[in-house]
Amino acid sequence: PPSPHLPVAMKAPPKRTSRAAPQRAPGRAKAGAASAKGATCGKALADGRCDLPGHARLPRFSPLLHVGNQYAAAHGDFDVVISTVCPRALDGEPCPALTTHALHFEDGHGKEAEAEAAIASKSIAHGAARVAKAVRAGQRTLVHCKWGQNRSGAICCAYAVLYLGWSASRAIAHLRAQNRKHRAYAGQSPMSNSCFNRILKM
């Protein structure tokens, strides 16, 4: 059950009926297969938007759970894809069909106004509920945003806090460690949004 010390907006929301998952995009690849555009975005070391396969495992949260960037859905074999931005296909084009659950909200990099923080808090809690449902059903699950650092990371950490009883600090530390273990990219700073981190710790 949700921890009683968390704010109302971070309580696990009521269950919603998920829309049916779309068919996978043609030409979808396993992790490691990459187009040149997706692999580098024109840089020697890709930034977090473009490194491939672009996702990290979170085994202490669940062996079924992965967190990643906008290319991760096209470079892994997932049953559930929770998207905070539109995912991109192997050719770099936007591909909404890779998403099973869209939950779009902004990453203000810690500069969110009060209204934006409230939206983020509710979105993070809803995302955590989606993760919990998928993991309980034994589904291989990806949560992704653009870089795979803040929005997706906050949802995965909220799952650990709300449904596994972890402290926010411990959850954030695990996500950071796994991000750095499985990925290497320019601008790497997982869970660097101070607003999202405060939401988790309230």
Side-chain angles (χ1 to χ4, degrees):
S3 172
H5 72 277
L6 292 170
V8 173
M10 271 288 293
K11 301 293 185 184
K15 293 182 179 179
R16 292 183 177 181
T17 302
S18 300
R19 62 187 178 91
Q23 291 184 345
R24 300 300 186 192
R28 183 170 177 177
K30 296 290 185 180
S35 66
K37 179 177 179 180
T40 66
C41 282
K43 299 180 181 180
L45 179 63
D47 66 27
R49 297 170 298 175
C50 305
D51 73 296
L52 300 178
H55 57 87
R57 298 191 302 273
L58 299 172
R60 297 186 67 188
F61 292 175
S62 168
L64 297 170
L65 184 58
H66 294 240
V67 59
N69 68 10
Q70 60 187 348
Y71 282 97
H75 290 271
D77 184 16
F78 303 107
D79 302 307
V80 171
V81 175
I82 300 168
S83 301
T84 70
V85 299
C86 184
R88 292 186 178 271
L90 300 177
D91 61 4
E93 294 301 314
C95 187
L98 289 170
T99 296
T100 60
H101 301 92
L103 190 63
H104 294 181
F105 64 103
E106 296 300 318
D107 178 3
H109 305 286
K111 298 179 181 179
E112 286 79 2
E114 184 177 352
E116 294 168 326
I119 291 169
S121 184
K122 291 178 182 178
S123 298
I124 289 166
H126 280 294
R130 292 289 191 188
V131 170
K133 182 177 180 180
V135 168
R136 282 197 302 267
Q139 295 175 306
R140 184 174 163 88
T141 302
L142 169 72
V143 184
H144 84 88
C145 54
K146 195 167 188 176
W147 283 59
Q149 297 197 131
N150 288 323
R151 284 169 286 191
S152 54
I155 287 171
C156 292
C157 288
Y159 164 70
V161 171
L162 289 169
Y163 295 92
L164 304 180
W166 285 43
S167 69
S169 295
R170 182 185 175 207
I172 290 168
H174 179 57
L175 191 137
R176 285 173 172 164
Q178 291 301 110
N179 172 280
R180 293 181 174 122
K181 177 179 179 181
H182 294 287
R183 300 176 62 193
Y185 52 88
Q188 191 163 12
S189 55
M191 295 303 293
S192 58
N193 184 311
S194 58
C195 174
F196 294 173
N197 293 351
R198 283 195 302 272
I199 288 169
L200 293 169
K201 292 176 179 178
M202 289 174 67

